[in-house]
Amino acid sequence: MDSAMAAVVRASGAYGGILYALPPGEDAVWQVLITGVPQEMTAPWRRVGLKDPMPVADAVRERRLVWAGGREEMARQYPRLALVLPYEFGLAAAPLASGSAVRGGLVLLWAGNHPARLSSGEQDAIRAGCRRLGDSLERALDRGEPLLPDRPRTLPPPAPRPPAHVEAGVLSAFVDRLPGGSCALGLDGRLVFVTPGAAELLGVDRSLLVGALPWEALPWMDVPHVEDRYRAALVSRRPQAFTVLRPPKTWLTFELYPDATGLSVRIVPGSPDADAPLSRSVQSAGPSRATVLYHLMHLASTLTEAVSVPDVVEQTADQLMPALGAQGMVVMVPEDGHLKIVGQRGYRPELLEHFDRVPLSSAIPGADVMATEVPGFWPTFEELHEAYPAMTHEDGMAAWAVLPLIASGRPIGSLLLAYRRPHVFPPGERAALTSLAGLVGQALDRARLYDAKHHLAHRLQSALLPHTLPDVPGLNVAARYLPAARGLGIGGDFYDVIRLDEHTAAVTIGDVQGHNVDAAALMGQVRTAVHAHATVGAPPGDVLARTNRLLTDLDPGLFTSCAYVHLDLATHRACVALAGHLPPLLRHADGHVEALRVPPGLLLGIEPDTAYPSLEFPLPPGSVLALYTDGLVEAPGVDLDDAIAALAGLLEHGDPGDLDAMADSLIRHAPTPGDDIALLLVSSRTAAGHSRGRSIVFTDKKDERRSTRAGSGGEDAR
């Protein structure tokens, strides 16, 4: 296996690679063999799940060759990987198959000067090497050998050519004559050679340096950009340079030259603004790895709390614009063949109205990057106008970056960043912006899904609850509904008012187990069943018994509590039956409140042949009947009887002549809802009484509870 790994790296022209094994029956690949890079650098990906957004996972899962050539392509395809390794290098991943089975995956790495595409010869070498490695894994499996070692092995780098005896002396003299100092690092970053001149510049004895990591032996080198440049040289295999201060006031410039065996380092005196031979390439590399990861951590932590699309836009603007120095931001998504602006910062709304809802076929950057998935960078308006002649300079900005928002491998929008001054976008910054846009795209995709589900759930809840309550002569009603604070904002609580004839009516309230679409759907069935059995004139006990038989036949797997009250408005009497529901509260005309202790039957949907006792009681004018679900009273650590008594106290002090005010007071004192809340207040009135109906109103504000309000009238819902 070692020789096959070395052969494929050599034949493909790669400088290193990682061999992964896929144990039978597992859903992840594990590192087995590494060459060309230190284990510490590959440690974050020692185990890769087959569903992870990583090249080797895609290659193994989809049985195809994956190629990412350069920082920008890596940032578009795999933003997480690009954020951790924001360097210029090429990567290929391929499956290792033996027969019809996939036994693992191979990752190969190329220097940053590799062409944008793999050549046919390189692809042939990769496929041939993968066949040999796949067969090796298959044979190991047949022999019963464990595929996964405790720790992946590292192949030693190729040994350098040993110098002849005379040549060694000449080389030593050559190095000593060079100005400044020289040292060498192995692939693991440890110093393996230090000249006297280097030790003198570093201010440390050579014996303390050899075998140590520079940033550990020299505390003043323990700064992010030093290790970052080392990693950049190692991954890109391109020369790097940096300048660092050796306290108290000695500036040193380091030049790194990598190859397959390690890094050669030249050290010379420098200054904070020294123009070292390689400094221009370093300065144009954009944000350092530490800076990018800082932005990533802040953006990732805030986006995890972003639930809706406006949340994502707000958090993105708050985090990215100050960090990147941008003054304008626009987020766009496709909708019905048009480009819809879903959020912006730094622009006048009237200016963006011109671009909102333009066809996706329009020749504008926001639409183009979604179609091509290729980001656009324009340091000046002249360059933007050259690419889009129809564009006019309306926004007063001087430079623009338009980035595709990618989620699950597909474009779901575009992000525009604008700068008031001309802005150069070096390769490193382009890759960082593309990676961060990938993170925003994933958050935006989740938020749009949440918004769609929430909108659907809200419409479902609205459709299943009464839009208006019937205007029943002689009856005043107030209703409230609040969904649970968690989940989709829907649940199984319901209420209804049913007009039976000129002098009779019925009211019902119930609670289906759960806070999801299934609970809401069953709630609609229960409410319909109760309504149907009530309108044929069945007494309360029979209404619940017949509804119970229907639910046990449907066998939904959910149980329902219910209270049903028949009202005789001519005699001002009522009859109530309960199916596992909390006792109704009756506020008498003199103000005192009692709980109607009806023997409760079983919850609906448990046993098909269940009897539901009923209780008849007077409901004269001036009295108020309160039906409610457990969300109005239940709270952690509070005894249920005490909670019901507290609700009775609030009811006692309410104004029976204003049921809306009474309902608002009861809801206002409810605990933070971990469960849905439904409330129905009913009072009878004399023939001379009068009430004005009120429509049901749904409100939907973030972090606020939603409620419905209803009176006895028949206005249409708005």
Side-chain angles (χ1 to χ4, degrees):
M1 192 176 301
D2 292 6
S3 60
M5 182 71 171
V8 68
V9 171
R10 184 172 56 252
S12 64
Y15 70 74
I18 308 170
L19 175 65
Y20 284 89
L22 176 63
E26 288 206 20
D27 59 354
V29 292
W30 295 77
Q31 290 179 8
V32 174
L33 198 58
I34 301 170
T35 180
V37 288
Q39 287 197 20
E40 290 73 14
M41 192 170 293
T42 65
W45 307 286
R46 186 158 293 173
R47 177 192 181 277
V48 177
L50 295 184
K51 294 183 179 179
D52 291 349
M54 293 291 293
V56 69
D58 289 350
V60 172
R61 187 182 63 254
E62 301 171 11
R63 298 194 176 196
R64 65 181 178 91
L65 176 64
V66 173
W67 168 253
R71 277 182 294 190
E72 291 192 36
E73 187 171 352
M74 185 76 71
R76 287 196 300 271
Q77 296 187 49
Y78 303 102
R80 294 185 191 177
L81 179 60
L83 282 165
V84 178
L85 296 175
Y87 312 119
E88 196 68 56
F89 69 102
L91 181 147
L96 304 179
S98 180
S100 60
V102 176
R103 296 303 182 194
L106 175 67
V107 173
L108 295 174
L109 306 171
W110 281 265
N113 57 2
H114 189 280
R117 293 288 175 261
L118 287 170
S119 68
S120 58
E122 289 169 333
Q123 295 183 44
D124 292 341
I126 294 171
R127 294 189 181 96
C130 286
R131 286 194 295 269
R132 289 194 295 271
L133 288 167
D135 291 341
S136 296
L137 290 173
E138 184 73 27
R139 287 192 296 270
L141 197 62
D142 291 341
R143 292 192 297 266
E145 298 177 4
L147 291 181
L148 305 180
D150 294 335
R151 182 180 175 88
R153 293 182 296 107
T154 299
L155 292 182
R161 179 182 63 84
H165 178 69
V166 176
E167 187 181 25
V170 174
L171 288 174
S172 177
F174 168 77
V175 172
D176 289 340
R177 286 193 296 268
L178 292 174
S182 301
C183 59
L185 282 70
L187 291 179
D188 60 357
R190 297 187 180 276
L191 289 159
V192 296
F193 170 77
V194 180
T195 66
E200 182 179 353
L201 286 171
L202 297 175
V204 178
D205 189 86
R206 293 171 64 188
S207 63
L208 300 177
L209 293 172
V210 175
L213 293 169
W215 40 88
E216 291 181 356
L218 305 166
W220 46 271
M221 292 191 72
D222 189 16
V223 290
H225 77 276
V226 171
E227 185 181 356
D228 182 59
R229 290 301 93 195
Y230 155 73
R231 290 166 62 93
L234 203 62
V235 173
S236 69
R237 295 297 164 95
R238 286 180 168 182
Q240 303 289 326
F242 61 87
T243 299
V244 66
L245 174 67
R246 193 195 97 184
K249 55 181 180 179
T250 301
W251 288 91
L252 298 176
T253 296
F254 294 75
E255 300 171 6
L256 284 61
Y257 300 91
D259 72 359
T261 62
L263 291 88
S264 297
V265 181
R266 289 286 297 139
I267 311 172
V268 295
S271 63
D273 55 351
D275 187 17
L278 305 177
S279 62
R280 290 182 180 173
S281 64
V282 175
Q283 291 172 359
S284 66
S288 70
R289 181 173 67 93
T291 302
V292 171
L293 291 178
Y294 176 81
H295 296 334
L296 167 65
M297 288 187 294
H298 275 262
L299 184 60
S301 62
T302 54
L303 288 181
T304 56
E305 302 174 2
V307 176
S308 64
V309 171
D311 289 341
V312 171
V313 173
E314 181 179 353
Q315 297 291 359
T316 300
D318 289 345
Q319 294 296 322
L320 282 191
M321 290 177 64
L324 301 173
Q327 286 75 45
M329 188 193 82
V330 181
V331 179
M332 298 156 278
V333 300
E335 185 176 276
D336 299 329
H338 293 79
L339 192 66
K340 179 183 179 182
I341 296 176
V342 295
Q344 63 93 13
R345 179 77 64 83
Y347 280 99
R348 303 189 314 275
E350 57 270 20
L351 175 63
L352 296 181
E353 288 177 1
H354 176 66
F355 296 97
D356 193 20
R357 307 295 302 178
V358 300
L360 287 174
S361 57
S362 303
I364 59 174
D368 276 358
V369 299
M370 272 191 280
T372 63
E373 302 182 29
V374 177
F377 300 95
W378 295 279
T380 64
F381 178 73
E382 288 71 22
E383 295 180 59
L384 177 63
H385 188 264
E386 182 179 352
Y388 298 94
M391 295 289 293
T392 57
H393 199 175
E394 300 178 70
D395 62 357
M397 300 294 183
W400 301 263
V402 183
L403 311 163
L405 300 177
I406 307 294
S408 302
R410 59 184 178 84
I412 56 100
S414 57
L415 172 68
L416 179 144
L417 293 169
Y419 302 78
R420 290 202 181 99
R421 296 180 179 178
H423 186 90
V424 177
F425 298 97
E429 185 173 356
R430 295 187 181 202
L433 287 173
T434 306
S435 298
L436 291 167
L439 196 63
V440 175
Q442 294 169 14
L444 183 65
D445 194 43
R446 292 193 303 268
R448 294 187 73 194
L449 180 61
Y450 174 86
D451 284 351
K453 287 183 176 179
H454 191 273
H455 179 67
L456 177 62
H458 192 62
R459 290 184 61 188
L460 174 63
Q461 189 83 64
S462 302
L464 294 175
L465 289 172
H467 285 264
T468 59
L469 297 178
D471 187 3
V472 180
L475 190 67
N476 291 335
V477 178
R480 300 289 185 272
Y481 175 81
L482 283 80
R486 65 179 187 273
L488 288 176
I490 64 171
D493 286 18
F494 66 93
Y495 59 86
D496 205 355
V497 177
I498 308 165
R499 181 174 181 175
L500 301 177
D501 59 33
E502 186 178 354
H503 301 292
T504 60
V507 292
T508 184
I509 198 168
D511 183 0
V512 178
Q513 173 189 6
H515 309 94
N516 52 31
V517 174
D518 292 337
L522 182 60
M523 175 264 281
Q525 292 175 308
V526 173
R527 178 172 166 253
T528 300
V530 170
H531 199 288
H533 295 309
T535 54
V536 298
D542 287 352
V543 169
L544 295 183
R546 295 175 186 179
T547 303
N548 176 61
R549 281 194 292 273
L550 173 64
L551 290 192
T552 53
D553 289 342
L554 292 174
D555 190 21
L558 299 174
F559 306 128
T560 305
S561 72
C562 187
Y564 178 83
V565 184
H566 182 272
L567 304 168
D568 189 330
L569 303 175
T571 62
H572 301 294
R573 297 193 65 80
C575 185
V576 59
L578 304 179
H581 203 80
L582 296 175
L585 296 178
L586 178 62
R587 184 191 190 280
H588 294 274
D590 61 4
H592 84 277
V593 179
E594 68 169 314
L596 299 178
R597 299 293 179 179
V598 188
L602 286 175
L603 293 166
L604 302 177
I606 296 179
E607 291 290 340
D609 298 318
T610 301
Y612 293 93
S614 59
L615 172 70
E616 190 172 338
F617 60 95
L619 188 67
S623 59
V624 178
L625 178 66
L627 304 176
Y628 53 95
T629 56
D630 53 8
L632 185 63
V633 291
E634 284 188 344
V638 179
D639 181 78
L640 184 59
D641 289 337
D642 292 342
I644 293 175
L647 180 66
L650 293 172
L651 192 65
E652 180 179 347
H653 291 89
D655 179 6
D658 190 346
L659 295 189
D660 276 322
M662 183 180 286
D664 288 338
S665 175
L666 299 183
I667 290 294
R668 190 163 51 248
H669 289 85
T672 300
D675 197 1
D676 311 311
I677 295 176
L679 171 66
L680 197 60
L681 300 181
V682 179
S683 66
S684 62
R685 66 176 188 268
T686 61
H690 174 73
S691 73
R692 182 173 60 87
R694 302 176 67 177
S695 63
I696 298 177
V697 179
F698 287 89
T699 62
D700 185 9
K701 297 181 180 179
K702 187 178 69 172
D703 297 330
E704 293 183 6
R705 291 180 272 173
R706 292 176 294 279
S707 68
T708 65
R709 303 185 57 168
S712 61
E715 295 182 53
D716 292 334
R718 288 190 292 271

